[in-house]
Amino acid sequence: MAQHAILSASGSHRWLHCTPSALLEKDVPDSGSDYAREGSLAHAYCAKALKENLGIGTKGEDIEIEELQDYFTDEMPGHVETYTGIVLGKFEEAKKSTPDAVLMVEQRLDFSKYIPEGFGTGDAIIVADGTLEICDFKYGKGVEVSAIANSQMMIYALGAYERFSDEYRIERVRMTIIQPRIGNLSEYELEIDQLLYWAGHVLTPTAKKAIKGEGEQVAGDWCQFCKVKCQCKALAKRCTEDFDALQESGTTAELMTNDDIARLLPKLSDIKKWAEAVGEYALDRALKGDKFPGYKLVEGRSIRKIIDEEAAASKLTAEGFDADNLYKPRALKGITDLEGIVGKKNLATLLDGILVKPQGKPALVPESDKRPPLNSNSAESDFESINN
Ligand code: SF4
C-alpha cells in the first residue's frame, strides 16, 4: 500500500491555508474513487512509456496496470502519448545544452528538510545544468490546474533540487503541468533563490504549525478535497454566514432585495455542493450505525421495473397482444454517437439544415463572463418560447 505523508505535497494548498487540516484528516481513510483509480492507471501507463523509452524495467507499472485494467478507456493511450511526447521533447531539448542531462521517472523525493517527514514522488524530472524541470501529469478534466505558484510543484522542485544540486549546477526550476484531456500545458519558472526564499519564509514555518495542528481553521476553495469537510465547523460557518447576516441585517423588510440575492449568487454553487456532501456523509454514517437526533433510516422510493424484457414480451404476445404495440418506436442515436459513425464534418454536411443549434436558455452569470449581455428589456420575450 502506498505510504502517505501527513503533510503531503498534493494537500499543501490546503494545509498552507488551513494549518490544522492535516492533523484533522490524518486518520480519515482515503475512500478512493473510480476517477482516482482511472488516474492511477493512466499514470502507470505514462511511467511505463517513459521507462521503456529509457530502457528501464517496468515491473511495478506492469503489475499496477494489470490490477487497474477495469479502468482502461479507449481515449487513454492518446493522452498518455501526448504526455510522453511533451516530456521526451523537453528531455531532447535539455540534452542540447547539457549532454549528460537525465530524465528521472517516478523519482522518490525527500523534502523533509523543509516539511517534517515530507516525501513524495515526481512523475518526471529533467535534470540539467541551468534549469531543472519538474513535469507533473494530471489526468483529471474537471478543474484546470495551473503551475503558477503551485505549492505542490514548488515542493517537488525543492525535493528535486536537494537530490540533484550536488551533481548539477541548478540555477532555476521550471514546473510544468500536463493535463492532456483538456489540452492544458501550464509552465512556471522560478530562480532557485526565489524558491528557497519561499521555502524559508512561508513553507517551513507554516509546515511546523501544521504538523502540530496549530493555527486557525480557515475555509476556502482548498476545502474541496478535505476529508473532514462534512464535519468542519469553519466550512459550515462560511457556507451559512451570509444567511445569518441576512437575519441580522436590521432591515424591516421580510423579503430579500436584489442586492441581498446578488451577494448570495456567487456562493450558491459552493453551498449546494457542501450541502449535498453533508447529506451524503450523514447517510453513510447512519448506514454505519451513527445516530442523528430526529432522523431515522427508511427504505427510499423505488420504481417498478421489468427485469427480463424478452420474457415479458413473449408472455404478452402469447396472450395475443400485438408486438408492435408493446415496443417503443426506434429512436435515432445522439449527435455525438452519429458523429462517431458518420464523421463530424460529414454529418454536418449530410444533415445541413436538419442539424441545428437552437438558442440557449438564458443564464445569470457574473459580469466578468466573456459572453455578451442580452438586452434585458427584450430578454424575457425573446426567451418566452424556450421557457415554455
Ligand atoms: S474543511 Fe475545514 S479543516 Fe478542511 S481545509 Fe476547510 S476549513 Fe480546514
Side-chain angles (χ1 to χ4, degrees):
M1 193 197 281
Q3 267 185 292
H4 292 288
I6 296 176
L7 299 183
S8 67
S10 59
S12 59
H13 181 56
R14 185 160 59 250
W15 56 256
L16 280 167
H17 284 92
C18 172
T19 45
S21 63
L23 282 196
L24 285 173
E25 58 173 2
K26 177 171 78 77
D27 297 322
V28 182
D30 205 341
S31 54
S33 68
D34 287 351
Y35 295 122
R37 285 182 273 273
E38 190 186 11
S40 297
L41 177 63
H43 264 90
Y45 274 118
C46 287
K48 180 180 164 73
L50 289 179
K51 284 185 176 181
E52 280 175 347
N53 189 281
L54 298 170
I56 303 172
T58 61
K59 198 171 162 202
E61 285 75 21
D62 292 336
I63 293 171
E64 200 174 358
I65 286 170
E66 198 181 324
E67 283 173 0
L68 294 170
Q69 205 42 228
D70 286 351
Y71 299 93
F72 178 82
T73 61
D74 291 343
E75 63 167 323
M76 198 175 278
H79 299 312
V80 170
E81 205 179 312
T82 304
Y83 165 77
T84 51
I86 292 171
V87 173
L88 291 172
K90 284 173 175 286
F91 182 39
E92 286 308 314
E93 200 54 39
K95 281 198 284 190
K96 284 181 191 163
S97 58
T98 308
D100 64 343
V102 288
L103 168 60
M104 308 300 294
V105 182
E106 292 292 298
Q107 169 72 42
R108 187 177 160 96
L109 298 171
D110 181 346
F111 22 84
S112 56
K113 180 174 171 186
Y114 304 97
I115 298 172
E117 299 162 35
F119 65 88
T121 306
D123 289 344
I125 301 170
I126 298 165
V127 196
D129 287 329
T131 303
L132 176 145
E133 181 155 9
I134 310 280
C135 296
D136 197 48
F137 174 70
K138 302 277 185 210
Y139 198 60
K141 60 176 185 177
V143 180
E144 184 173 313
V145 186
S146 167
I148 313 292
N150 182 311
S151 58
Q152 178 186 7
M153 299 299 287
M154 288 161 73
I155 292 169
Y156 284 163
L158 283 166
Y161 176 69
E162 286 303 317
R163 168 68 184 76
F164 298 106
S165 58
D166 285 346
E167 299 154 57
Y168 292 81
R169 181 183 40 79
I170 300 166
E171 291 161 355
R172 73 193 74 79
V173 286
R174 184 181 306 124
M175 293 151 273
T176 300
I177 285 176
I178 302 159
Q179 198 174 6
R181 288 170 92 191
I182 51 170
N184 177 31
L185 176 67
S186 177
E187 295 181 337
Y188 180 55
E189 265 190 46
L190 275 183
E191 299 294 321
I192 282 296
D193 288 352
Q194 294 172 299
L195 182 68
L196 294 177
Y197 183 88
W198 173 76
H201 288 80
V202 178
L203 181 66
T204 301
T206 314
K208 282 182 180 166
K209 280 168 80 178
I211 198 74
K212 291 189 229 149
E214 292 174 357
E216 256 185 62
Q217 277 163 259
V218 181
D221 67 0
W222 46 89
C223 297
Q224 191 184 358
F225 298 111
C226 180
K227 287 192 263 180
V228 294
K229 69 176 180 183
C230 295
Q231 298 151 279
C232 177
K233 285 190 178 178
L235 181 57
K237 189 164 177 264
R238 183 173 190 261
C239 288
T240 55
E241 65 194 356
D242 288 304
F243 298 104
D244 294 343
L246 282 175
Q247 304 288 333
E248 293 158 9
S249 65
T251 140
T252 50
E254 292 295 321
L255 303 178
M256 286 196 287
T257 63
N258 284 359
D259 283 350
D260 290 332
I261 292 173
R263 273 194 292 276
L264 289 178
L265 283 175
K267 295 191 176 171
L268 287 186
S269 161
D270 285 347
I271 293 170
K272 196 173 158 198
K273 282 187 215 150
W274 168 76
E276 281 171 3
V278 173
E280 283 164 20
Y281 168 81
L283 174 61
D284 181 59
R285 293 307 315 171
L287 288 167
K288 289 181 172 127
D290 282 6
K291 300 281 177 233
F292 292 89
Y295 280 79
K296 62 181 178 184
L297 276 172
V298 294
E299 186 181 331
R301 280 193 201 158
S302 84
I303 299 169
R304 292 178 305 159
K305 64 176 184 183
I306 291 171
I307 55 170
D308 184 340
E309 289 192 2
E310 253 180 55
S314 87
K315 276 187 189 261
L316 294 173
T317 45
E319 288 296 319
F321 292 97
D322 184 355
D324 286 347
N325 283 337
L326 298 178
Y327 285 97
K328 281 183 187 168
R330 278 203 303 168
L332 197 62
K333 285 189 171 175
I335 293 171
T336 311
D337 286 339
L338 291 176
E339 282 176 345
I341 298 165
V342 182
K344 197 168 182 171
K345 271 191 185 167
N346 202 17
L347 186 76
T349 310
L350 291 172
L351 300 191
D352 186 27
I354 303 174
L355 176 57
V356 295
K357 192 170 187 302
Q359 194 167 23
K361 273 191 178 184
L364 190 60
V365 299
E367 276 184 4
S368 55
D369 192 281
K370 287 185 192 129
R371 287 166 286 183
L374 296 170
N375 177 348
S376 60
N377 293 332
S378 63
E380 195 175 16
S381 55
D382 283 355
F383 287 93
E384 205 169 320
S385 60
I386 293 175
N387 288 329
N388 287 340

